[in-house]
Structures are given as C-alpha cells and as structure tokens.
Amino acid sequence: MTTNRTTGGAPDGPTWALVRVLRDPNAGLLLAGVVVSGFGTSALWLASGVWVKDLTGSDGLAALCLLAMWAPTLAGPLLGTLADIPQSRLRSTGRCPHRRKPLLIGTSLLMAALLLTLVTVDSPQSLWLLFAVLFVYGAAGVVNDAAESALAATAVDRSLLGDLGGLRMTATEGMKLLAPLAGAGLYTAYGGAAVAFLDAVTFAGAAVLYLFLQVREERPAPTAPGRRGRTAEGIRFLRSHPALRPLVLAGGATMLCAGLNGALVYAVVDGLGHSPAYSGVLYAVQGAGSVVLGLCAGPALRRLGERRFAAYGVVLLAGGVALRAVPSDPVAWACSAAIGAGLPALLIAALTAVQRQTPGPLLGRVTATANTLVFAPNVIGLAAGAVLVELLDHRLVLAVLGLALLVPAAGLFQSAASAERTASRSSSDANPA
C-alpha cells in the first residue's frame, strides 16, 4: 500500500485542500483522470439531449438520454463485484493482482471505442445506437466509480479522502463551467458526432493517466463463495451500519427528487423563451456552484461532520429547485448555482463516509451498492419526469419537489443530533463525575 505524507497542522481551507491533494502522486493522478474524462462526459451529457431533441422534437425522448445513462445503477451491487478481488484469484505470494487499475484502464478504452460508433447517428431511425451506447456508458461509469473509490482508499492517505472527494466532485460537476458550452458550440458547428469523438479522446487520455498509478493492494480477507454471495456482503454491510445507513437513505430520497428536476430542464428553458442549447448556460452556472462547494468540502466536512454537511446541502438544493418555477433568467441562474452546490454536498458526504468506514476488501461492492441505493431513485425520477413534463405544468412540479426535499434534510439533522447525544452519553458514562 502506498504510504503518503500526513498533513499535520497545516492550515485548513480550500487552497490548502487542493495543495495537499496535488502533493500526493496517486491522488493527483486520480483527480487528473476525473478532470480529463469528466470534460468529455459533461459535453456529451448535454449534447445527447440536444441531439435527440433536434432529431425528434420531443422533450420526453431528450430526457430519456439521461435515463439511459443512469439505468445501469440498478445493477450496481452486481457490477461492483468486478472492482473487488475474489479470494480464489490470489497468488501464493500474499499479493493480489492489480485488478482495479487494469479495470479502470480497460473500461476507459472500451468507452473510447464505443463512442466512435456514434458518427453514424444522423436520423431518428438510428437513435437506438445512441441510447445503447449511453446505456453501456452508464454501466462503465458504475464499475469505474467503484474501482476509483477502492483505489483511492487504498492508495491515498485517509486524511485526504474528504479533500479528494470534494475536488473530485469539483472536477466532475465543475466541468459544467466549460464542457457544456464547448459541447454546445461543437454540436452547433459540426453535429453530435464531433462531440462523441471529443469524449472518446478524453477517455483515451484518462486511460493513459491511470497507467501511471502506483498501487499495491493488501491481501483481502476471505469472501463469500460465488458472485451472488459476494454481492450480498456489500448489501448486508450497509444495512447494518448505523452511520452509513441514514446518509444512504437520505441520498436515495434526494436523488429521486433530483431526477424529477433534471427531466424538467428543457421545459424550464422553454419557459424562459430560449432554444434547447441554452441549457448549456444553466449547466455552466450549476458547475460554478459545484466548483465552490467542492473546494470547500474537505474543511466543511471536518467542521460539520458528514450528516450535517449533507443536510445543509439538501436544504440549499430544495430552495434552488423550488425557485426554478420563477420564469426569470437571473433567478434561473441563481437556482442553478444553488443546485450545483447543494446536491454535491450530499454525494461527497456519503462517498467519503463509505470510504472511511468500509474495510478495503469490501470497498468495491459497498461503494457500488451505496451508489445504487442513492442513484437508482434518480433513474425512477428521470423516467417519471419524462412523463410528467408532458402532462403537468413544470412550475407546479418544481414547487412540490422543493417542499419534498425538506423531508430528507430534516432526517439528516435529526440523525446528526442523535449521534451527538449518543456520543455525549458515552463520554459521560466512561468518565463519571
């Protein structure tokens, strides 16, 4: 296992968080890989919806692009087993093959090859290929997220995990500052095939960066026999963990509402009187909110704790979603920034907690299972939103979603207060007056 320098008494703040992460070679490479591949992903994320909208004129079909990308999270516990190393594959030396690193490289190269096939999509009849590639895209993302999380917990000092999680979210969501605008411009000038080619190049670049990771994983403990048994281990661990369970449940409820909100983006743009490509502006502003949040995430997590940090983020998200019902460009920009800051707070808190509190041999499965429980409701929300946007006034739906988001926020505040009371009692019992 790579040994990293601890930070000791270094100043705490957004700037120092970035410096501390970049000083760690493995953390820097992981972050760079996310930046490179995230640029192409954000560009295609926007362009695919605009692509379908232009070819069909349907808001519902455009929203189904996001559904195709998110649907594989339903199989997260099963896909996550690919990121963990079965006992039967260990070598007699006590070291295990570096399966997570080749897995990251292999899935990146696979996506680079598949994205090149999209140059043939030029009519509504060929859209099946776009949806198929987006589905595989989502499956590869589930595997990559599990492998990345397990590698980070193994190869990066645990004191840096909160900072790395925040910066990773900044890199992923912050690409909305440039990538959607670049994708929209590239799409307008050359069409969707050009955006797909750009994404393929970024995946190939990420594979090269992952090649330089220096990782040696410890021999894992025996696992349950069979793929089904190994999958169940991750589920059992989350279900029985008192600290992770509230975060994951709140995450699932929040992402259900976030999925509904995401499916309404083109209706919001229509309500503002702009073309579908204007969604790139809103995504760029959302990315700005994510950049600010990600830079502050590490210090904020250390001060507030995971559950309070997540709860404040959900409250901010609730306000941003509800006020999108106001047909005003400045209000829409402010709401996009609030959504960009609020939603990542919950995701960073949950992922960091999983990395810190899960044994290494289980990390791939537990991460993928947590991602499924958090993100699978987003698939349901996207599907429901694709229907509701055709049936109801989007402003009514947004107002209801804003109120509904206050429920998981209240649950997180309550669980955080309960944990503090328990800790206080334990301290008092251990040291009676």
Side-chain angles (χ1 to χ4, degrees), residues 11-29:
D12 201 14
T15 302
W16 277 100
L18 178 61
V19 171
R20 289 160 60 182
V21 167
L22 292 181
R23 282 178 176 173
D24 184 287
N26 281 333
L29 284 169

Side-chain angles (χ1 to χ4, degrees), residues 15-325:
T15 302
W16 277 100
L18 178 61
V19 171
R20 289 160 60 182
V21 167
L22 292 181
R23 282 178 176 173
D24 184 287
N26 281 333
L29 284 169
L30 285 170
L31 185 60
V34 170
V35 170
V36 172
S37 63
F39 184 88
T41 297
S42 295
L44 184 69
W45 182 26
L46 169 66
S48 61
V50 178
W51 201 349
V52 172
K53 172 78 172 178
D54 283 346
L55 288 175
T56 66
S58 171
D59 287 333
L61 285 176
L64 287 179
C65 289
L66 290 178
L67 176 61
M69 295 179 72
W70 284 108
T73 59
L74 296 172
L78 182 61
L79 292 171
T81 62
L82 298 175
D84 286 332
I85 303 167
Q87 179 74 12
S88 60
R89 300 290 182 89
L90 294 176
R91 302 190 186 279
S92 59
T93 59
R95 296 178 184 175
C96 58
H98 296 170
R99 295 189 61 213
R100 288 163 178 164
K101 175 179 168 180
L103 193 60
L104 280 174
I105 296 171
T107 52
S108 297
L109 293 177
L110 171 65
M111 286 314 306
L114 285 178
L115 284 164
L116 293 177
T117 67
L118 295 183
V119 298
T120 62
V121 176
D122 57 3
S123 68
Q125 289 71 34
S126 57
L127 282 179
W128 68 269
L129 178 59
L130 174 61
F131 286 116
V133 170
L134 291 177
F135 183 83
V136 178
Y137 200 118
V142 172
V143 175
N144 270 13
D145 284 347
E148 269 186 31
S149 177
L151 274 175
T154 301
V156 177
D157 191 276
R158 286 186 176 255
S159 67
L160 294 177
L161 290 179
D163 298 301
L164 178 60
L167 292 173
R168 185 186 184 281
M169 187 63 69
T170 294
T172 302
E173 298 297 322
M175 286 298 102
K176 294 185 175 73
L177 282 170
L178 299 176
L181 295 176
L186 192 61
Y187 175 85
T188 301
Y190 302 105
V195 182
F197 180 79
L198 169 66
D199 199 9
V201 171
T202 62
F203 266 108
V208 173
L209 289 169
Y210 295 142
L211 188 63
F212 291 98
L213 286 170
Q214 299 297 317
V215 184
R216 177 176 295 176
E217 297 174 289
E218 299 295 334
R219 183 185 183 98
T223 59
R227 184 179 294 273
R228 181 178 298 178
R230 292 194 297 271
T231 300
E233 284 184 324
I235 299 173
R236 286 196 298 268
F237 181 84
L238 278 177
R239 185 175 57 193
S240 62
H241 201 290
L244 297 180
R245 188 173 60 247
L247 276 169
V248 171
L249 291 177
T254 300
M255 289 302 292
L256 173 64
C257 297
L260 285 162
N261 172 65
L264 302 176
V265 62
Y266 295 107
V268 170
V269 170
D270 284 342
L272 295 172
H274 298 290
S275 68
Y278 186 77
S279 57
V281 176
L282 299 184
Y283 281 131
V285 177
Q286 183 173 325
S290 297
V291 167
V292 174
L293 186 281
L295 291 173
C296 300
L301 276 169
R302 284 187 284 274
R303 290 186 175 91
L304 298 174
E306 283 124 359
R307 278 173 278 189
R308 286 193 182 278
F309 179 60
Y312 286 125
V314 177
V315 170
L316 185 59
L317 173 66
V321 168
L323 291 176
R324 288 182 88 186

Side-chain angles (χ1 to χ4, degrees), residues 316-418:
L316 185 59
L317 173 66
V321 168
L323 291 176
R324 288 182 88 186
V326 179
S328 164
D329 280 345
V331 172
W333 299 338
C335 290
S336 293
I339 292 169
L343 186 56
L346 170 65
L347 303 180
I348 292 168
L351 178 59
T352 302
V354 167
Q355 287 179 311
R356 286 176 173 168
Q357 302 184 48
T358 303
L362 285 172
L363 257 173
R365 282 161 287 172
V366 173
T367 297
T369 301
N371 284 343
T372 294
L373 294 175
V374 170
F375 292 117
N378 191 53
V379 178
I380 300 171
L382 286 168
V387 175
L388 289 177
V389 74
E390 304 286 353
L391 301 176
L392 299 175
D393 188 325
H394 71 279
R395 292 170 294 183
L396 173 63
V397 178
L398 288 170
V400 172
L401 286 176
L403 292 174
L405 281 165
L406 296 178
V407 176
L412 286 169
F413 279 122
Q414 184 177 10
S415 65
S418 176

